[in-house]
Amino acid sequence: DTGVSQDPRHKITKRGQNVTFRCDPISEHNRLYWYRQTLGQGPEFLTYFQNEAQLEKSRLLSDRFSAERPKGSFSTLEIQRTEQGDSAMYLCASSESPEAFFGQGTRLTVV
Amino acid sequence: GESVGLHLPTLSVQEGDNSIINCAYSNSASDYFIWYKQESGKGPQFIIDIRSNMDKRQGQRVTVLLNKTVKHLSLQIAATQPGDSAVYFCAEKPHEKLTFGTGTRLTIIP
């Protein structure tokens, strides 16, 4: 597998529930990014990691959102107490430099 | 053009013709740019990139032009095919993160 892998591809959850998404980057890529995309818009930056260090977080990333990359390989994005406004495509990208390659995303629907 | 809410700029091109998609970027400090293609329900797919010390770069059927004076980027697709129908995004990279511009929906007419 040579691409960025995201799991699950689709997630439907009830409002108020917690969800967690996983991203497996391209092997040996040291940078990992999370983006959110809503219908008709371009991807919006959420956060990024250099190895295991989280170096930047967007203001979009409220305190209900947390991301980790514990061993500098895969990453998880957790959303607590989901709201309907969290419904979006969550995209992960990895980069060695400077190109960034995206996964297929996780489509979250909060009902 | 500018996108307003959910309305993406659109471009329709006859199959076999050339297409040009334009993008205005915002940060004069950006030194790296990428064009992505995104099909419905999929993640953005890397097409071609260009560094700020270049003004043109060619790939297979695609050419990217960069005009730093007016902060403008364009993607030219030659001899368009039905599979080129998608939304195209430009992205700039002033530091470590990519910032995406307004997408353009390209439709290839058979």
Side-chain angles (χ1 to χ4, degrees):
Chain A
D1 184 14
T2 58
V4 178
S5 177
Q6 292 189 244
D7 183 70
R9 291 292 311 277
H10 304 275
K11 177 72 177 178
I12 300 174
T13 190
K14 291 184 178 179
R15 189 173 48 188
Q17 297 294 304
N18 300 342
V19 294
T20 300
F21 310 141
R22 177 179 169 124
C23 172
D24 287 89
I26 294 171
S27 181
E28 298 178 355
H29 277 193
N30 55 18
R31 295 189 188 88
L32 186 149
Y33 303 81
W34 284 101
Y35 283 78
R36 182 175 72 184
Q37 186 177 27
T38 53
L39 191 64
Q41 303 293 320
E44 297 173 293
F45 172 79
L46 292 178
T47 188
Y48 96 94
F49 294 82
Q50 171 101 13
N51 299 312
E52 66 274 12
Q54 189 173 16
L55 297 186
E56 188 173 346
K57 292 194 290 187
S58 163
R59 285 171 291 177
L60 292 174
L61 216 65
S62 75
D63 57 5
R64 296 186 297 105
F65 288 69
S66 62
E68 295 183 344
R69 195 183 183 195
K71 297 182 180 179
S73 57
F74 74 92
S75 175
T76 58
L77 177 68
E78 181 183 15
I79 309 174
Q80 296 181 327
R81 304 181 302 282
T82 51
E83 301 172 357
Q84 286 189 318
D86 297 332
S87 295
M89 174 81 88
Y90 289 84
L91 294 162
C92 175
S94 73
S95 173
E96 180 60 23
S97 189
E99 301 93 343
F101 298 94
F102 282 82
Q104 297 289 35
T106 294
R107 167 77 63 190
L108 173 67
T109 303
V110 181
V111 297
Chain B
E2 295 289 329
S3 71
V4 179
L6 299 179
H7 300 290
L8 285 173
T10 58
L11 176 65
S12 295
V13 176
Q14 204 74 36
E15 182 179 354
D17 287 352
N18 300 335
S19 67
I20 299 176
I21 300 170
N22 296 303
C23 174
Y25 65 91
S26 58
N27 193 332
S28 56
S30 294
D31 58 2
Y32 180 69
F33 305 86
I34 305 178
W35 278 99
Y36 287 94
K37 172 186 180 183
Q38 189 172 29
E39 296 173 287
S40 181
K42 296 185 178 180
Q45 176 189 353
F46 179 98
I47 301 175
I48 191 168
D49 59 356
I50 188 168
R51 294 183 184 273
S52 61
N53 61 355
M54 304 171 68
D55 53 20
K56 181 178 180 179
R57 189 160 188 233
Q58 288 183 293
Q60 188 175 21
R61 286 201 305 118
V62 294
T63 301
V64 55
L65 299 177
L66 174 62
N67 185 331
K68 294 182 289 294
T69 302
V70 295
K71 292 192 284 188
H72 182 268
L73 203 63
S74 68
L75 176 70
Q76 300 176 0
I77 305 174
T80 53
Q81 304 168 356
D84 294 330
S85 292
V87 177
Y88 289 81
F89 291 99
C90 66
E92 59 181 306
K93 203 177 188 184
H95 303 292
E96 289 303 330
K97 72 184 188 196
L98 282 169
T99 301
F100 283 78
T102 304
T104 296
R105 182 178 301 281
L106 176 65
T107 301
I108 306 303
I109 304 167

